[in-house]
Amino acid sequence: GVAIIWKDNIIACELKGIENDRLIAIRVKGKVKDIIVVCVYMPSREQGIAVYNETLACLESFMAEYKAICNIVVIGDFNATLGTLGGPRGQGDPSPEGVHVVDLIREFDMICEDMQVNSSGPITSYIQANVGSSWIDHVIISSDLHEHVIECGIIPEDNINVSDHLPVMIKIAMDISHRKIDLNSSKK
């Protein structure tokens, strides 16, 4: 499944209209330009390239609706290896799914931020015992956001992570709208 959690003092709302349970999005109110954050869980190779492309087309259609008026961040499990096409930290050849994701990145003038030189962490995000590892979880952002990135990368393995995926993360310095919250009052 997919989920997005944000601080209650940030003005954001879930966006409806994505007709795919592998995608969820919020719109964060920016002081200059809003930011759309999309969490993805793309189909695995076992489900076939047609199912993958159908989900990717849904994402593409959603992004096309907001590209002109918002910056976009897409983060999550793409089930795609981007290889050297993804960025300077990329290695090897892309998977067939990865080629389609790279096409999307180029079409929407985006950057795979976790594969850039300044990103941190290991160069793998999925670890399966006795099988190997791959880099299938990514952070893709509008190129306009690149200069505002404070930190991006893959969080190394830790005892509290019970998933076979390593978390991807990004910190962006942007002026966004906040609600004033009285920390001394209790919510009832």
Side-chain angles (χ1 to χ4, degrees):
V2 290
I4 298 175
I5 299 170
W6 63 92
K7 291 183 176 184
D8 62 358
N9 70 327
I10 294 174
I11 299 174
C13 64
E14 181 181 354
L15 294 172
K16 305 296 181 185
I18 302 178
E19 297 183 15
N20 192 305
D21 61 358
R22 293 181 165 276
L23 308 169
I24 189 171
I26 62 169
R27 184 172 184 164
V28 178
K29 183 74 178 144
K31 291 186 178 175
V32 176
K33 194 172 187 181
D34 290 358
I35 301 171
I36 302 294
V37 179
V38 183
C39 181
V40 300
Y41 177 40
M42 298 297 288
S44 66
R45 180 169 284 171
E46 289 77 28
Q47 293 168 304
I49 195 74
V51 175
Y52 192 91
N53 287 340
E54 181 181 305
T55 304
L56 197 61
C58 184
L59 174 62
E60 182 176 356
S61 174
F62 178 78
M63 290 169 52
E65 184 177 339
Y66 289 97
K67 182 186 183 330
I69 56 173
C70 299
N71 283 309
I72 300 173
V73 175
V74 185
I75 187 168
D77 183 354
F78 282 84
N79 271 313
T81 301
L82 307 184
T84 56
L85 297 179
R89 289 182 71 203
Q91 298 180 351
D93 296 325
S95 64
E97 299 84 359
V99 171
H100 293 287
V101 172
V102 169
D103 288 345
L104 180 84
I105 291 169
R106 290 176 178 160
E107 177 184 346
F108 285 89
D109 189 28
M110 298 182 86
I111 296 171
C112 185
E113 193 64 37
D114 60 286
M115 297 186 103
Q116 300 307 305
V117 174
N118 294 334
S119 293
S120 62
I123 55 169
T124 185
S125 63
Y126 175 72
I127 302 166
Q128 192 171 15
N130 302 321
V131 176
S133 60
S134 59
W135 195 344
I136 60 175
D137 301 273
H138 301 287
V139 180
I140 297 171
I141 64 171
S142 297
S143 60
D144 291 347
L145 290 176
H146 179 69
E147 67 185 75
H148 302 285
V149 173
I150 297 170
E151 183 180 5
C152 181
I154 299 170
I155 300 172
E157 193 163 6
D158 189 289
N159 290 336
I160 61 171
N161 181 12
V162 295
S163 173
D164 51 5
H165 291 257
L166 298 177
V168 289
M169 58 73 92
I170 188 165
K171 292 181 184 175
I172 302 171
M174 295 293 293
D175 284 332
I176 58 173
S177 298
H178 293 82
R179 290 185 192 99
K180 290 187 178 188
I181 296 176
D182 182 358
L183 298 176
N184 295 318
S185 68
S186 61
K187 295 181 181 179
K188 294 183 181 182

